[in-house]
Every structure is written in structure tokens, then in C-alpha cells.
Amino acid sequence: MKRLFVSLILLIVAVPAWAEIDIQKVTSEKGITAWLVEEHSIPFTALELRFRGGTSLDEPGKRGATNLMAALLEEGAGDLDAREFARRKEELSASFGYGASDDSVSVSAKFLSENRDEALALLRTTLMEPRFDEDALERVRAQVISGLMSDAKDPNTIAGNAFSEIAFGDHPYGSSGDGTIKTVTALTREDIQTAFDNVFALDRIYVSAVGDITPEELSALLDELVGDLPETGAPMPGPADVAIEGGNTVIDFDTPQSVAVFGQNGMAREDDDFFAAYVMNQILGAGGFESRLMTEVREKRGLTYGVYSYLSPKTWGPIYVGRVSSSNDRIAEAVQVIRDEWTKLKEQGVTQKELDDAKTYLTGAYPLQFDGNGQIASILVSMQVNGLPIDYVTTRNAKMEAVTLDDVNRVAREFLDPENLHVVVVGKPEGMEATAGN
């Protein structure tokens, strides 16, 4: 019965209405800061930690080490091996999650108030005393390699990796953070420990908490949980030299349906025009069936089941990318329509109705993201990582509403770059050949 209750808690948690979210900044005695949303109606808390750097901190020749390290953090810590750790976590009805991306390593925890101290003590061992036992390393390594073998046969992954290499070259962004079969096979326990030491430090940590916890309790929690981490970690990789050139890259792959990744240089999130670019993309490719790309590529011509684009403001090199798939005999037409729409929006801009519809959707959808303690905690950490102010939750929609037709059309003219839109196609595209460019 208790397990059922806990499951319901994890899935259905009472959170304040979006407009009523009160975010407090908490600073511990050791100077660690966190953002907190108190919600005491249910004895449950979600905690989110983010460590800046991510898989981009992999050592030369050790690609995949950070990803493998993150996957091993729950495979035993302190005095507990993997099986004992899992049993103890279940006894506490706690939930932990670890993940690695290009720019960060994330640690998530959900726990009941009655088990808070014990749950956090267990979580602390994964951050202070990871075991990285050889048997766990080999088991998880095998799982990662199995995934890499599957990726080698997946045209979507092949296209994405190829585009990243074109866009970012030798920068860590230019290769998969999962590593390759060769690099992951060669990783040693010492490599995993180095990856851990590179990431987990106080100079790159962001924390948020949502739920049944007071500022005073959170302050004490911060010092106990992470206060003994080293002050500094590995140096950040630095900016990527993103210089995407127009053209087509064609990778021969035996499949009846080609996959295409297309994109150009992007825009940093802190750019003054980012909101206008975000609205512009909603109209061009992010608006589902209402977007221009879906209308022209799918609805009018039936060339695909789906096509989309999105701004990817990576920390060290922003890009603007999209994806589409189509049969081999029609992918060339789909790509040409996308290029035409890129040019059309740049030259002709958007209409007032398109702008109004996009802003209505974006402002209406935003509050729906705040649908649980864990989700809110993740949003708050992302805000901190992206350098957004603590009142962003309440001011974001006003900023979106302030975007004008002139703003969007000016950004479209200045930002969209159809001449340097590069397309990577994986498949056997008919009537489409590799051209000059990256």
C-alpha cells in the first residue's frame, strides 16, 4: 500500500498555479545557492542539480567517458554495491536520476519528507563515494556499446552525427557524447574517475528544490549534500568555430526512406533578438501543423509525415537545425521546398496573423510546462544555467507579447541564411548529389 501511495505521489503532486509560483533564492553557510519553491501540501520534494560542462569535458581520446560515468553513479556507492544500493533506495521510496548532455551533467532526486535525511545521505554517497566497480563498469559498458551498435544502423543518428561534425569540427560538440565503440571499449576505471573529477565541483553547480522543504532546511541540505565537493573542476572547452556553409552532404545508406538534417549558424540565448527568433521559428518550423514547413512539405505535397526546426543555443556554439524524412524518390523535392521556405521567409517576412497565432500559442503553452514538482525543479535549474533572472517565470510571457511584426521580420532578414543552409541526407536520395560546402 505504501508503494502505491509513493507512486501516486511521484506522478500526481500538488504544485502552485503557474502565476502563483514564488521562487526564493537560498544561500547556504558555505555559499552554495539554490532556487526554491515551497509547497507543503504534500510531504514530497523534488531536488535538481546541474553541473555545467557535461560530455564536452571528455579528455582527448576518451569520448564517452562522462556519459558512461553518469550511467554508473547509481551502480553502487559507499559501502553498497549496485544491488544493495538499489534495494536501499527502494526501501526509502526514493527516486534518483543521472544524465549527461553536451553542456551539463544532471542529478535528480525525489523523496518523501519522512525519509528526507536518509534519502539524501544515500544520494550524497553517489556524489562523494562512487564505487565504479569493475563488474558494474563492464555491465554498463556493454549496454552503451549495444546502443552504439544500434546507432550505427540508424539513419537518424548517422545524419545527426554527420551534421554535428560539419558544424563543430574538432570541438567536442562535433562528435557524439556517447563516444564510439572503439573509445568506449578502451575506457578504464581511471578514465571514469577522471571524468567524475572533471565534472563534480562547486564552481559549476546549480541547484533547485520544489516541495515540502523550508529555506532553512534547504540551506542545511546544500552544505551536507555537496558542500565537500572540490572548489573547481576541469576547464570548459571554450567556443566552437561554427561556420556552416551551404550545400548538400549525401551519405549512402541502404534504406527506402532518406533522412535529412538541415541547418545553419544559430543565435545565442542571451542575444537581444532571441525572443523574436524564437517566435519566427514557431511560424517557420516549430508550430506543428500550423508551421509553414509542415503546411508546404506535408499538407500541400504529401512529402513527409513530419518536418520541424528548432533553435539550439548550445553554450559554446549555437546552431539552427531541423529534420525531415521522405522516400528516396521524393527527398530531393522535400529539401528544395525547405530551402524555398527559408528564402521566402527571409525575403517576405511573416504576416500579422501568423505572428498573433504564434504568440497566442507560445504564451498559452508556457504555463502547461509547470505540471509537477520535478518538472518545475528542472525548469528552475535550466533558468539558472542559462543566466535567466529569478523572475523570468512571471516575465517571460510579457517578453513574448512584446515581440512585434517589425522585430520578427527584421530578424528573419538578418538571421536566416538560405545560402549557407547545409543539408545532410542519409539514404539513397534520387536526383540529389553532394555539392560544394562543408
Side-chain angles (χ1 to χ4, degrees):
M1 186 67 182
K2 180 179 180 180
R3 185 176 299 175
L4 175 60
F5 171 71
V6 171
S7 298
L8 290 173
I9 288 290
L10 295 178
L11 291 172
I12 307 172
V13 290
V15 294
W18 167 72
E20 300 172 358
I21 289 178
D22 178 24
I23 305 172
Q24 305 174 63
K25 183 176 180 179
V26 176
T27 302
S28 74
E29 291 186 4
K30 292 185 177 181
I32 303 165
T33 62
W35 288 5
L36 166 66
V37 174
E38 285 188 81
E39 174 51 50
H40 299 288
S41 62
I42 290 180
F44 164 83
T45 300
L47 181 70
E48 189 77 20
L49 292 81
R50 200 76 52 86
F51 293 84
R52 192 163 52 91
T55 63
S56 296
L57 298 181
D58 282 343
E59 299 281 317
K62 307 296 182 180
R63 205 69 172 116
T66 303
N67 178 66
L68 184 55
M69 177 273 293
L72 282 164
L73 288 177
E74 208 168 0
E75 297 292 327
D79 296 331
L80 307 176
D81 63 17
R83 183 173 297 181
E84 292 168 333
F85 185 92
R87 182 184 302 115
R88 181 57 179 153
K89 186 177 59 148
E90 184 176 358
E91 290 172 352
L92 294 172
S93 302
S95 171
F96 301 157
Y98 307 84
S101 64
D102 283 342
D103 288 328
S104 66
V105 169
S106 61
V107 178
S108 305
K110 299 180 178 71
F111 45 85
L112 296 172
S113 298
E114 64 182 272
N115 297 330
R116 179 196 300 153
D117 292 344
E118 293 170 291
L120 289 172
L122 185 62
L123 179 65
R124 186 182 189 278
T125 63
T126 70
L127 302 178
M128 300 294 173
E129 306 173 68
R131 289 172 63 111
F132 303 137
D133 292 332
E134 289 292 344
D135 60 336
L137 171 58
E138 294 309 317
R139 182 177 65 256
V140 177
R141 186 204 309 270
Q143 295 169 358
V144 172
I145 290 176
S146 176
L148 290 170
M149 293 174 66
S150 178
D151 287 344
K153 303 174 184 178
D154 177 18
N156 285 285
T157 302
I158 295 169
N161 288 345
F163 188 89
S164 294
E165 183 176 0
I166 289 167
F168 301 112
D170 293 335
H171 191 275
Y173 286 169
S175 60
S176 171
D178 294 344
T180 66
I181 293 174
K182 180 180 179 179
T183 61
V184 173
T185 299
L187 291 173
T188 66
R189 185 185 184 282
E190 289 70 28
D191 295 330
I192 302 304
Q193 184 65 54
T194 297
F196 177 88
D197 295 338
N198 285 347
V199 168
F200 288 98
L202 293 175
D203 66 338
R204 61 203 57 204
I205 189 173
Y206 302 88
V207 187
S208 68
V210 179
D212 184 30
I213 187 168
T214 66
E216 294 75 21
E217 291 168 335
L218 178 58
S219 175
L221 178 159
L222 292 172
D223 286 345
E224 178 63 26
L225 182 62
V226 297
D228 292 332
L229 285 176
E231 288 293 329
T232 60
M236 295 296 166
D241 182 16
V242 183
I244 301 171
E245 297 177 9
N248 299 326
T249 297
V250 177
I251 300 174
D252 185 69
F253 191 83
D254 190 13
T255 175
Q257 180 165 276
S258 291
V259 172
V261 174
F262 52 91
Q264 63 161 77
N265 284 27
M267 181 181 293
R269 191 181 299 272
E270 59 268 23
D271 193 295
D272 290 340
D273 286 328
F274 188 80
F275 273 98
Y278 195 82
V279 175
M280 180 206 70
N281 178 63
Q282 179 68 19
I283 296 167
L284 178 58
F289 285 97
E290 302 302 318
S291 74
R292 289 191 179 187
L293 293 184
M294 279 289 277
T295 298
E296 296 297 328
V297 181
R298 172 176 169 157
E299 296 302 304
K300 290 186 178 180
R301 296 171 176 84
L303 299 173
T304 185
Y305 284 110
V307 56
Y308 61 92
S309 61
Y310 60 97
L311 293 161
S312 179
K314 293 175 180 287
T315 300
W316 304 110
I319 56 175
Y320 182 27
V321 291
R323 286 180 180 263
V324 68
S325 58
S326 188
S327 59
N328 287 328
D329 62 341
R330 305 198 74 185
I331 188 67
E333 183 182 358
V335 168
Q336 186 57 54
V337 173
I338 291 168
R339 290 189 180 279
D340 291 344
E341 289 304 310
W342 226 261
T343 300
K344 181 180 177 181
L345 185 52
K346 177 183 180 68
E347 295 178 350
Q348 301 178 19
V350 308
T351 67
Q352 185 66 52
K353 184 179 186 308
E354 286 178 314
L355 174 63
D356 292 342
D357 289 346
K359 292 199 296 185
T360 296
Y361 173 81
L362 290 170
T363 55
Y366 185 62
L368 302 180
Q369 297 179 29
F370 297 80
D371 61 352
N373 287 12
Q375 179 67 10
I376 295 175
S378 179
I379 290 172
L380 297 190
V381 160
S382 295
M383 287 167 55
Q384 295 175 67
V385 171
N386 291 321
L388 298 173
I390 199 167
D391 65 349
Y392 178 79
V393 168
T394 56
T395 63
R396 182 264 193 189
N397 274 358
K399 295 179 185 295
M400 199 70 70
E401 290 285 7
V403 173
T404 67
L405 187 65
D406 286 344
D407 292 333
V408 172
N409 288 337
R410 174 183 55 79
V411 167
R413 289 192 303 272
E414 297 173 355
F415 174 58
L416 291 177
D417 191 7
E419 293 299 316
N420 284 310
L421 184 68
H422 196 91
V423 182
V424 174
V425 180
V426 177
K428 291 187 174 294
E430 297 179 13
M432 192 171 186
E433 298 180 354
T435 59
N438 296 78

